[in-house]
């Protein structure tokens, strides 16, 4: 369906990004030509194994627009309660947005949260309006709030960087890594770049829980032959695998997303995650 490998900056600038911003009620994080809008479920208090989950650990809904053919591709991941799934889905379908997956990422969380992955191609202003209309039938906060300074990360972040082999970032009090795969990833014939904002980098998040410990979650982005080696590496290091599934419909190479959870010594967990990363075709600085 989509054949062009890229779109020029001039054509990307033709998109009326200010209108998209106004409809979605917030400013995006801009990476290259990708505009990513966050919709964290800051209204929810979700606990798992006694840990109160920060929105940036596992409740950070988002949509990202990538220019293509004078229009845009949109991809995203909406965080919903069980009762919100079908009302949101009905609105998205009515607005021409495709549903690409609905599933859990966590286990044992209270209340249970579900993740609706979405995609589309067309006029970004119209797609933004459809997404906002859909989110409006959930309790997802739609009014933007001033970003507060993130709390300090009470972990040895330099050692975490060294072990993971990438530079993490303080994302709202969560130390977050995005580790790209070495092979390019495309969806419907369009290369997804940059991969982190489009949701196809290995995502690894550490939320400090005191005394050098951290709750970890995120997802590995895997080809089929990597799935079971990564499962074995995680389980050998006492890291739970909580979900394995697809997020997209037409990606190349075919990818599977493996979500995980543990709450233990952060350095120990980082070493376990590094052992799992070593089973993947991922970059290492």
């Amino acid at each position: 369906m989509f054949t062009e490998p890229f779109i020029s900056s001039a054509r990307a600038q033709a998109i009326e990004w200010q209108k998209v911003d106004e409809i979605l009620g917030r400013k995006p994080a801009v990476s290259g030509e990708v505009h990513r809008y966050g919709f964290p479920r800051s209204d929810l208090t979700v606990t798992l194994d006694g840990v109160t989950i920060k929105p940036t650990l596992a409740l950070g809904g988002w949509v990202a627009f990538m220019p293509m053919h004078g229009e845009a591709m949109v991809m995203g991941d909406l965080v919903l309660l069980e009762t919100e799934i079908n009302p949101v889905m009905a609105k998205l379908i009515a607005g021409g947005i495709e549903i690409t997956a609905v599933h859990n990422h966590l286990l044992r969380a209270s209340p249970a949260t579900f993740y609706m992955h979405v995609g589309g191609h067309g006029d970004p202003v119209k797609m933004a309006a459809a997404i906002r209309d859909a989110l409006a039938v959930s309790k997802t906060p739609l009014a933007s709030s001033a970003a507060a300074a993130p709390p300090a990360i009470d972990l040895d972040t330099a050692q975490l960087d060294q072990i993971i082999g990438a530079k993490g970032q303080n994302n709202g009090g969560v130390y977050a890594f995005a580790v790209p795969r070495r092979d390019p990833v495309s969806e419907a014939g369009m290369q997804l770049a940059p991969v982190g904002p489009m949701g196809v980098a290995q995502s690894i998040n550490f939320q400090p829980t005191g005394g050098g410990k951290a709750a970890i979650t995120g997802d590995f982005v895997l080809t089929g032959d990597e799935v079971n080696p990564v499962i074995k590496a995680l389980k050998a290091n006492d890291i739970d695998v909580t979900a394995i599934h697809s997020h997209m419909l037409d990606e190349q190479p075919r990818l599977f997303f493996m979500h995980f959870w543990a709450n233990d010594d952060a350095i120990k967990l980082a070493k376990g995650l590094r052992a799992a990363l070593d089973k993947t075709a991922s970059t290492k600085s």
Side-chain angles (χ1 to χ4, degrees):
M1 181 167 60
F2 311 137
T3 57
E4 289 187 26
F6 63 91
I7 182 168
S8 70
S9 295
R11 291 173 65 189
Q13 290 168 1
I15 290 176
E16 296 178 288
W17 290 116
Q18 185 176 348
K19 286 188 176 181
V20 177
D21 298 352
E22 290 171 355
I23 290 166
L24 295 178
R26 63 209 59 222
K27 291 291 186 181
V30 180
S31 301
E33 295 179 343
V34 173
H35 289 228
R36 177 170 167 137
Y37 300 81
F39 290 92
R41 290 304 301 259
S42 54
D43 59 309
L44 299 177
T45 300
V46 178
T47 60
L48 200 171
D49 296 348
V51 176
T52 299
I53 294 174
K54 291 182 180 293
T56 49
L57 181 69
L59 306 173
W62 58 274
V63 292
F65 293 80
M66 186 178 81
M68 58 181 296
H69 306 310
E71 297 180 312
M73 170 190 286
V74 68
M75 293 175 62
D77 181 8
L78 310 180
V79 183
L80 302 171
L81 297 174
E82 184 174 1
T83 55
E84 296 171 338
I85 292 172
N86 279 294
V88 169
M89 184 181 291
K91 284 286 190 179
L92 289 169
I93 292 170
I97 303 296
E98 293 187 340
I99 314 301
T100 61
V102 179
H103 46 226
N104 68 292
H105 289 175
L106 303 170
L107 299 174
R108 305 184 303 281
S110 179
T113 51
F114 297 85
Y115 302 78
M116 182 179 294
H117 296 267
V118 300
H121 169 233
D123 180 343
V125 172
K126 291 180 179 178
M127 292 193 297
I131 291 164
R132 181 176 175 102
D133 287 348
L135 287 173
V137 299
S138 75
K139 294 191 183 309
T140 302
L142 294 179
S144 63
S145 56
I153 302 292
D154 185 22
L155 298 171
D156 186 344
T157 56
Q159 193 170 1
L160 293 178
D161 291 350
Q162 182 179 18
I163 294 167
I164 299 298
K167 176 63 179 171
Q169 302 291 332
N170 184 343
N171 183 20
V174 171
Y175 202 58
F177 294 91
V179 183
R181 294 185 59 83
R182 290 194 293 270
D183 46 339
V185 177
S186 65
E187 166 73 358
M190 286 291 296
Q191 185 171 335
L192 302 179
V195 291
M198 296 302 291
V200 288
Q202 324 267 10
S203 173
I204 295 173
N205 300 316
F206 289 77
Q207 178 179 315
T209 54
K213 296 176 65 176
I216 60 167
T217 192
D219 53 5
F220 285 84
V221 184
L222 306 171
T223 55
D225 60 328
E226 295 170 341
V227 169
N228 279 283
V230 170
I231 291 175
K232 292 174 183 176
L234 291 173
K235 296 299 291 179
N237 287 279
D238 299 319
I239 298 172
D240 288 343
V241 175
T242 59
I244 304 169
H245 47 226
S246 61
H247 287 179
M248 299 174 285
L249 300 177
D250 300 306
E251 78 280 6
Q252 291 294 327
R254 186 70 173 134
L255 297 174
F256 300 88
F257 292 75
M258 183 182 299
H259 299 264
F260 55 88
W261 170 266
N263 181 21
D264 204 339
D265 178 78
I267 302 304
K268 171 190 170 184
L269 293 176
K271 290 176 179 177
L273 292 166
R274 180 67 254 172
L277 284 168
D278 286 342
K279 303 297 183 182
T280 73
S282 299
T283 60
K284 184 176 181 181
S285 57

